[in-house]
mmCIF file of all heavy atoms in Angstrom:
data_model
loop_
_atom_site.group_PDB
_atom_site.id
_atom_site.type_symbol
_atom_site.label_atom_id
_atom_site.label_comp_id
_atom_site.label_asym_id
_atom_site.label_seq_id
_atom_site.Cartn_x
_atom_site.Cartn_y
_atom_site.Cartn_z
ATOM 1 N N ARG Z 143 70.267 -55.566 -42.585
ATOM 2 C CA ARG Z 143 69.840 -55.616 -41.199
ATOM 3 C C ARG Z 143 70.905 -56.375 -40.437
ATOM 4 O O ARG Z 143 71.462 -57.382 -40.949
ATOM 5 C CB ARG Z 143 68.521 -56.331 -41.123
ATOM 6 C CG ARG Z 143 67.897 -56.410 -39.719
ATOM 7 C CD ARG Z 143 66.503 -56.987 -39.782
ATOM 8 N NE ARG Z 143 65.972 -57.026 -38.463
ATOM 9 C CZ ARG Z 143 64.730 -57.412 -38.231
ATOM 10 N NH1 ARG Z 143 63.933 -57.841 -39.210
ATOM 11 N NH2 ARG Z 143 64.244 -57.441 -36.975
ATOM 12 N N GLN Z 144 71.232 -55.874 -39.267
ATOM 13 C CA GLN Z 144 72.252 -56.544 -38.456
ATOM 14 C C GLN Z 144 71.760 -56.744 -37.066
ATOM 15 O O GLN Z 144 71.424 -55.787 -36.343
ATOM 16 C CB GLN Z 144 73.537 -55.725 -38.433
ATOM 17 C CG GLN Z 144 74.685 -56.428 -37.724
ATOM 18 C CD GLN Z 144 75.986 -55.601 -37.716
ATOM 19 O OE1 GLN Z 144 75.885 -54.383 -37.697
ATOM 20 N NE2 GLN Z 144 77.113 -56.276 -37.726
ATOM 21 N N PHE Z 145 71.670 -58.022 -36.598
ATOM 22 C CA PHE Z 145 71.350 -58.333 -35.272
ATOM 23 C C PHE Z 145 72.618 -58.300 -34.411
ATOM 24 O O PHE Z 145 73.740 -58.437 -34.928
ATOM 25 C CB PHE Z 145 70.691 -59.712 -35.223
ATOM 26 C CG PHE Z 145 69.329 -59.733 -35.847
ATOM 27 C CD1 PHE Z 145 69.162 -60.271 -37.091
ATOM 28 C CD2 PHE Z 145 68.228 -59.175 -35.166
ATOM 29 C CE1 PHE Z 145 67.885 -60.273 -37.724
ATOM 30 C CE2 PHE Z 145 66.990 -59.181 -35.808
ATOM 31 C CZ PHE Z 145 66.839 -59.767 -37.048
ATOM 32 N N PRO Z 146 72.453 -58.128 -33.120
ATOM 33 C CA PRO Z 146 73.639 -58.044 -32.224
ATOM 34 C C PRO Z 146 74.616 -59.183 -32.406
ATOM 35 O O PRO Z 146 74.215 -60.346 -32.486
ATOM 36 C CB PRO Z 146 73.036 -58.056 -30.840
ATOM 37 C CG PRO Z 146 71.677 -57.464 -31.011
ATOM 38 C CD PRO Z 146 71.238 -57.945 -32.377
ATOM 39 N N LYS Z 147 75.829 -58.847 -32.570
ATOM 40 C CA LYS Z 147 76.925 -59.780 -32.687
ATOM 41 C C LYS Z 147 76.786 -60.736 -33.902
ATOM 42 O O LYS Z 147 77.272 -61.860 -33.888
ATOM 43 C CB LYS Z 147 77.109 -60.603 -31.415
ATOM 44 C CG LYS Z 147 77.427 -59.760 -30.197
ATOM 45 C CD LYS Z 147 77.685 -60.555 -28.932
ATOM 46 C CE LYS Z 147 78.036 -59.693 -27.775
ATOM 47 N NZ LYS Z 147 78.358 -60.438 -26.577
ATOM 48 N N GLN Z 148 76.103 -60.275 -34.915
ATOM 49 C CA GLN Z 148 76.000 -61.055 -36.138
ATOM 50 C C GLN Z 148 76.395 -60.253 -37.359
ATOM 51 O O GLN Z 148 76.660 -59.036 -37.278
ATOM 52 C CB GLN Z 148 74.546 -61.513 -36.297
ATOM 53 C CG GLN Z 148 74.084 -62.479 -35.208
ATOM 54 C CD GLN Z 148 72.752 -63.100 -35.521
ATOM 55 O OE1 GLN Z 148 72.364 -63.205 -36.683
ATOM 56 N NE2 GLN Z 148 72.033 -63.551 -34.504
ATOM 57 N N SER Z 149 76.493 -60.922 -38.467
ATOM 58 C CA SER Z 149 76.884 -60.255 -39.708
ATOM 59 C C SER Z 149 75.719 -59.500 -40.302
ATOM 60 O O SER Z 149 74.600 -59.549 -39.774
ATOM 61 C CB SER Z 149 77.405 -61.302 -40.699
ATOM 62 O OG SER Z 149 77.979 -60.661 -41.823
ATOM 63 N N LEU Z 150 76.013 -58.774 -41.368
ATOM 64 C CA LEU Z 150 74.940 -58.094 -42.023
ATOM 65 C C LEU Z 150 74.134 -59.030 -42.892
ATOM 66 O O LEU Z 150 74.647 -59.881 -43.617
ATOM 67 C CB LEU Z 150 75.534 -56.999 -42.961
ATOM 68 C CG LEU Z 150 75.967 -55.696 -42.274
ATOM 69 C CD1 LEU Z 150 77.169 -55.893 -41.449
ATOM 70 C CD2 LEU Z 150 76.177 -54.626 -43.332
ATOM 71 N N MET Z 151 72.814 -58.835 -42.862
ATOM 72 C CA MET Z 151 71.915 -59.655 -43.732
ATOM 73 C C MET Z 151 71.312 -58.749 -44.736
ATOM 74 O O MET Z 151 70.652 -57.760 -44.435
ATOM 75 C CB MET Z 151 70.818 -60.281 -42.833
ATOM 76 C CG MET Z 151 69.848 -61.158 -43.643
ATOM 77 S SD MET Z 151 68.392 -61.587 -42.719
ATOM 78 C CE MET Z 151 67.411 -60.076 -42.813
ATOM 79 N N GLU Z 193 60.270 -57.193 -32.385
ATOM 80 C CA GLU Z 193 61.212 -58.081 -33.156
ATOM 81 C C GLU Z 193 61.870 -57.382 -34.329
ATOM 82 O O GLU Z 193 62.820 -57.905 -34.963
ATOM 83 C CB GLU Z 193 60.531 -59.356 -33.606
ATOM 84 C CG GLU Z 193 59.319 -59.208 -34.459
ATOM 85 C CD GLU Z 193 58.056 -59.216 -33.675
ATOM 86 O OE1 GLU Z 193 58.029 -58.780 -32.480
ATOM 87 O OE2 GLU Z 193 56.980 -59.555 -34.214
ATOM 88 N N ASP Z 194 61.346 -56.196 -34.711
ATOM 89 C CA ASP Z 194 61.931 -55.436 -35.790
ATOM 90 C C ASP Z 194 63.088 -54.612 -35.276
ATOM 91 O O ASP Z 194 63.862 -53.951 -36.095
ATOM 92 C CB ASP Z 194 60.917 -54.478 -36.459
ATOM 93 C CG ASP Z 194 59.783 -55.268 -37.074
ATOM 94 O OD1 ASP Z 194 60.022 -56.383 -37.627
ATOM 95 O OD2 ASP Z 194 58.614 -54.788 -36.987
ATOM 96 N N SER Z 195 63.262 -54.532 -33.979
ATOM 97 C CA SER Z 195 64.371 -53.781 -33.396
ATOM 98 C C SER Z 195 65.675 -54.338 -33.944
ATOM 99 O O SER Z 195 65.939 -55.528 -33.853
ATOM 100 C CB SER Z 195 64.408 -53.891 -31.851
ATOM 101 O OG SER Z 195 63.174 -53.335 -31.360
ATOM 102 N N SER Z 196 66.511 -53.496 -34.477
ATOM 103 C CA SER Z 196 67.768 -53.952 -35.102
ATOM 104 C C SER Z 196 68.586 -52.784 -35.534
ATOM 105 O O SER Z 196 68.190 -51.623 -35.344
ATOM 106 C CB SER Z 196 67.366 -54.814 -36.324
ATOM 107 O OG SER Z 196 68.557 -55.508 -36.808
ATOM 108 N N PHE Z 197 69.740 -53.043 -36.151
ATOM 109 C CA PHE Z 197 70.562 -52.030 -36.685
ATOM 110 C C PHE Z 197 70.426 -52.159 -38.247
ATOM 111 O O PHE Z 197 70.680 -53.213 -38.771
ATOM 112 C CB PHE Z 197 72.035 -52.280 -36.244
ATOM 113 C CG PHE Z 197 72.992 -51.154 -36.448
ATOM 114 C CD1 PHE Z 197 72.680 -49.900 -36.016
ATOM 115 C CD2 PHE Z 197 74.220 -51.374 -37.099
ATOM 116 C CE1 PHE Z 197 73.581 -48.847 -36.163
ATOM 117 C CE2 PHE Z 197 75.107 -50.332 -37.259
ATOM 118 C CZ PHE Z 197 74.807 -49.089 -36.832
ATOM 119 N N TYR Z 198 70.018 -51.083 -38.832
ATOM 120 C CA TYR Z 198 69.718 -51.112 -40.273
ATOM 121 C C TYR Z 198 70.812 -50.258 -40.986
ATOM 122 O O TYR Z 198 71.071 -49.114 -40.569
ATOM 123 C CB TYR Z 198 68.344 -50.538 -40.598
ATOM 124 C CG TYR Z 198 67.243 -51.403 -40.093
ATOM 125 C CD1 TYR Z 198 66.735 -51.275 -38.825
ATOM 126 C CD2 TYR Z 198 66.714 -52.423 -40.923
ATOM 127 C CE1 TYR Z 198 65.747 -52.118 -38.337
ATOM 128 C CE2 TYR Z 198 65.710 -53.242 -40.459
ATOM 129 C CZ TYR Z 198 65.235 -53.095 -39.182
ATOM 130 O OH TYR Z 198 64.226 -53.934 -38.716
ATOM 131 N N ARG Z 218 69.920 -47.306 -35.684
ATOM 132 C CA ARG Z 218 69.488 -48.287 -34.658
ATOM 133 C C ARG Z 218 68.025 -48.053 -34.362
ATOM 134 O O ARG Z 218 67.652 -46.961 -33.906
ATOM 135 C CB ARG Z 218 70.310 -48.131 -33.392
ATOM 136 C CG ARG Z 218 69.970 -49.190 -32.338
ATOM 137 C CD ARG Z 218 71.036 -49.381 -31.258
ATOM 138 N NE ARG Z 218 72.320 -49.775 -31.851
ATOM 139 C CZ ARG Z 218 72.601 -50.960 -32.281
ATOM 140 N NH1 ARG Z 218 71.733 -51.933 -32.249
ATOM 141 N NH2 ARG Z 218 73.821 -51.218 -32.749
#
Side-chain angles (χ1 to χ4, degrees):
Chain Z
R143 182 174 182 176
Q144 186 180 31
F145 291 103
K147 298 186 178 182
Q148 294 190 24
S149 188
L150 280 70
M151 180 191 78
E193 57 266 29
D194 298 324
S195 299
S196 193
F197 195 50
Y198 293 88
R218 183 161 302 284

